[in-house]
Amino acid sequence: MVGVVWLGGKWRWNHLAGLLVAGIGMAIIASQQGGEMTTAGFWLVTAAAACWGVGNVIMRRATQGVPAFPMLSLIVWMGFLAILPLAVLSLLLEGYDSWLSAWQAPTWTGIGSLIYLALVANLVGYGLWGKLLSWNIGKKSETSC
């Protein structure tokens, strides 16, 4: 939906069908509240999905009309710039004691998770996704966001 408004994309029947299926899925998930999922958690995950869609459109718009450049560079800079605000937020929300214990007693699971998230999820995953958005197919995929 964001791509239609900001980039002038066109609605197609498969976009509407996808939106309908997503809406049905969200209704099913929302109907399961009362177990381990909270209302706040549901809306936070919904907001995260909306941010993902907006991020796709911003990425596409930022790369339109500029000379070609490696998308991996953009991904690396975005990740680098996020370190400080996310570290401060983590310190404020989790507290100094959590930070101290994590730094004093790292586990192989924690180190492996950090490497996976930094290298595989961010560099490979977002790098390939950014490349996809830089192609013409990216305009089609973001219209459904």
Side-chain angles (χ1 to χ4, degrees):
M1 292 186 291
V2 177
V4 170
V5 174
W6 282 355
L7 298 176
K10 305 288 184 224
W11 282 104
R12 294 190 174 91
W13 71 270
N14 56 337
H15 299 145
L16 295 172
L19 191 60
L20 178 66
V21 169
I24 291 170
M26 288 186 64
I28 291 170
I29 292 169
S31 71
Q32 303 303 311
Q33 289 187 16
E36 293 183 25
M37 181 178 61
T38 64
T39 303
F42 172 77
W43 286 111
L44 284 172
V45 170
T46 303
C51 288
W52 175 266
V54 170
N56 287 338
V57 173
I58 290 171
M59 176 84 80
R60 177 68 177 168
R61 191 148 193 193
T63 59
Q64 284 181 331
V66 297
F69 63 92
M71 291 300 279
L72 185 57
S73 298
L74 180 62
I75 302 302
V76 170
W77 275 107
M78 289 182 347
F80 178 73
L81 294 174
I83 291 172
L84 184 60
L86 290 176
V88 169
L89 188 61
S90 173
L91 184 60
L92 291 174
L93 293 176
E94 298 176 39
Y96 179 75
D97 292 336
S98 293
W99 265 47
L100 193 60
S101 66
W103 283 106
Q104 288 178 342
T107 64
W108 285 110
T109 303
I111 293 169
S113 299
L114 181 64
I115 291 169
Y116 172 78
L117 288 173
L119 298 179
V120 179
N122 280 318
L123 293 181
V124 176
Y126 286 124
L128 291 173
W129 185 250
K131 187 71 172 169
L132 175 69
L133 290 178
S134 71
W135 295 343
N136 278 339
I137 191 168
K139 184 161 182 156
K140 293 177 184 173
S141 70
E142 76 195 4
T143 305
S144 60
C145 296

